[in-house]
Amino acid sequence: MRKVYTFIIMMGFWILLSGKFDLFHLTLGVISSALVSFMSADLFMHETKGPGKLSVGIRFLLYLPWLLYQIGLSTLHVTFLALHPKMKDQIDPTIVTFKTKLKTDLAKVALANSITLTPGTITIRIVDQVFYVHAISRKAAAGLPGEMEDRLANVFERD
Amino acid sequence: MDSFFIGIGVVLCFLMLLTLHRAIHGPTAIDRIMGVNVIGTKTTILLVIIGTIYHRVDMFIDIALAYALLNFIVTIAASRYFHHHKNLNPKGYGYRFRKEDK
Amino acid sequence: MDIIVILLSVSGLVLFFATTVGLLRFPDFYSRMHAAGKGDTLSSLIMLLALVFYNFHEMNLANLLVAIKILLIGVFIFMASPTATHAIIDAGYESGIQPWTKKPEEES
């Protein structure tokens, strides 16, 4: 089943990149997509449990606009800090650790990337369930796990 | 509209020159990787702008896509290397064989 | 339509400028990573959006393909930039770079 999904995605990508719809190019696309999906489907996606995958995808798409809003806030924050004349009075970097309640790997990756893209914080590393986060000011460090963890738990681990 | 895009491209090149200072004079090797990464991201945008100026976006867009992929792979590979190597202040090429260090 | 393109391009350029200035001014490696990882993502997305608007002036198949490809670059940058930031900063943390902190008053 993984091979079929890989074949569909690869074929869509081929059509998107080539942009030609005659028989010759489509045949080449089918041959190369079949070869790639036969050889390396297990690299592209892991074996997953069947039901509920589509709803997770839809809920993740609904999560994206909030993430874009956070990215906008974060970039404005960095811009304000970088152009501030007395920048060294404004920042106060610390490294904080906290323990998350998310279980699956995919949810932890999404949380790490979201932390990196929100104002003032960058994920340094994840050891099991403990996150090491570098925060650029005390105010950013105070509100850390915050709203985002609840939203991601709602996205990925709702039964 | 073409001259506007030429202006945007020139300003981008100027910003890349400023970033090159961080890539050359960075105190550690990780700073240099970071500077090269930022320059690569700007180059991706610059390639699409060049395609817009020449009215051949359909050709330049593939090059920009390949450049974005290559930039990501270079960054990952170099940072993985220093993740294992753990030596951020090398004294230059061939420093093991100089006399004054022995 | 041109107004939107000019507005988006100039705002993206201003954010790029702020990224570069932050990259040159921040005191230590971790803070510079803040500027490099975040400023680049949003400003690249804004500039690519402006180029999509400019290139999509009339509706046909070739223009549609070009627009989808530019958006594909945007999606790729959106995924790759936090990952690259995380890889670089993890390498720096593993190599033992000390983070810059404010000196307490009694030490100075």
Side-chain angles (χ1 to χ4, degrees):
Chain A
M1 206 57 210
R2 282 184 300 169
K3 289 178 183 173
V4 178
Y5 284 142
T6 313
F7 177 75
I8 292 171
I9 293 174
M10 289 289 160
M11 196 64 207
F13 209 67
W14 173 280
I15 290 174
L16 184 64
L17 284 187
S18 83
K20 293 192 174 70
F21 294 99
D22 52 349
L23 187 63
F24 176 68
H25 287 92
L26 282 184
T27 315
L28 274 184
V30 167
I31 291 173
S32 52
S33 307
L35 202 62
V36 167
S37 59
F38 175 70
M39 281 164 61
S40 57
D42 50 347
L43 289 179
F44 186 62
M45 51 177 83
H46 289 288
E47 199 70 64
T48 49
K49 270 80 71 181
K53 275 306 178 189
L54 195 62
S55 59
V56 167
I58 291 173
R59 285 200 299 251
F60 187 70
L61 282 185
L62 289 180
Y63 169 72
L64 278 183
W66 185 77
L67 187 62
L68 278 177
Y69 169 65
Q70 289 293 316
I71 292 172
L73 280 187
S74 139
T75 313
L76 287 181
H77 184 240
V78 166
T79 307
F80 171 72
L81 280 183
L83 298 180
H84 199 280
K86 291 176 183 168
M87 182 252 308
K88 286 189 180 176
D89 294 338
Q90 298 282 321
I91 66 176
D92 189 7
T94 45
I95 291 182
V96 295
T97 62
F98 70 92
K99 196 171 186 304
T100 181
K101 63 185 178 190
L102 299 175
K103 298 285 194 306
T104 59
D105 284 345
L106 190 62
K108 281 195 276 187
V109 167
L111 180 60
N113 273 3
S114 307
I115 283 177
T116 301
L117 288 175
T118 43
T121 47
I122 282 185
T123 311
I124 294 177
R125 66 171 38 174
I126 309 170
V127 181
D128 288 336
Q129 287 195 351
V130 180
F131 277 61
Y132 289 72
V133 175
H134 181 267
I136 203 169
S137 62
R138 298 280 172 193
K139 185 164 142 289
L144 240 182
E147 187 188 358
M148 195 168 8
E149 189 179 11
D150 295 336
R151 282 183 184 257
L152 275 171
N154 192 20
V155 167
F156 282 103
E157 293 177 352
R158 189 170 66 185
D159 295 325
Chain B
M1 206 63 190
D2 272 354
S3 54
F4 172 70
F5 277 113
I6 289 176
I8 293 278
V10 168
V11 176
L12 263 184
C13 286
F14 178 66
L15 290 181
M16 282 160 70
L17 267 182
L18 282 182
T19 316
L20 200 60
H21 174 267
R22 180 56 69 200
I24 292 173
H25 288 281
T28 60
I30 298 284
D31 284 306
R32 297 189 177 128
I33 298 173
M34 181 168 68
V36 168
N37 185 19
V38 174
I39 288 178
T41 311
K42 286 186 176 59
T43 311
T44 309
I45 312 291
L46 190 63
L47 274 172
V48 185
I49 288 177
I50 289 173
T52 309
I53 292 171
Y54 284 149
H55 300 289
R56 289 297 307 274
V57 192
D58 49 347
M59 187 175 78
F60 276 86
I61 197 74
D62 293 337
I63 308 173
L65 192 55
Y67 201 90
L69 286 164
L70 202 61
N71 182 30
F72 177 60
I73 292 172
V74 162
T75 309
I76 292 292
S79 59
R80 281 292 109 180
Y81 174 74
F82 282 103
H83 189 274
H84 292 294
H85 195 60
K86 296 188 182 62
N87 181 14
L88 288 181
N89 294 306
K91 292 167 189 154
Y93 180 71
Y95 69 96
R96 280 181 209 164
F97 308 109
R98 284 188 202 145
K99 268 183 185 170
E100 59 264 27
D101 284 347
K102 285 179 182 173
Chain C
M1 205 62 187
D2 282 354
I3 306 288
I4 300 176
V5 173
I6 289 175
L7 210 63
L8 285 176
S9 305
V10 170
S11 59
L13 213 57
V14 167
L15 291 179
F16 261 135
F17 176 70
T19 304
T20 311
V21 170
L23 203 63
L24 292 177
R25 276 190 72 202
F26 275 138
D28 79 328
F29 161 69
Y30 298 98
S31 313
R32 273 178 226 140
M33 226 41 233
H34 279 274
K38 289 171 195 158
D40 259 10
T41 313
L42 187 68
S43 42
S44 307
L45 287 185
I46 288 176
M47 298 279 282
L48 287 175
L49 204 62
L51 287 164
V52 166
F53 277 135
Y54 182 68
N55 285 312
F56 200 59
H57 41 78
E58 61 184 277
M59 183 78 190
N60 56 19
L61 188 62
N63 278 339
L64 192 65
L65 272 176
V66 164
I68 290 178
K69 276 185 199 171
I70 296 179
L71 285 182
L72 196 67
I73 292 182
V75 169
F76 180 74
I77 286 177
F78 184 74
M79 282 192 302
S81 173
T83 314
T85 306
H86 174 67
I88 294 175
I89 204 167
D90 194 11
Y93 188 71
E94 183 78 15
S95 310
I97 296 178
Q98 290 299 319
W100 181 87
T101 50
K102 259 182 196 170
K103 292 283 186 291
E105 296 298 326
E106 59 269 20
E107 279 188 13
S108 64

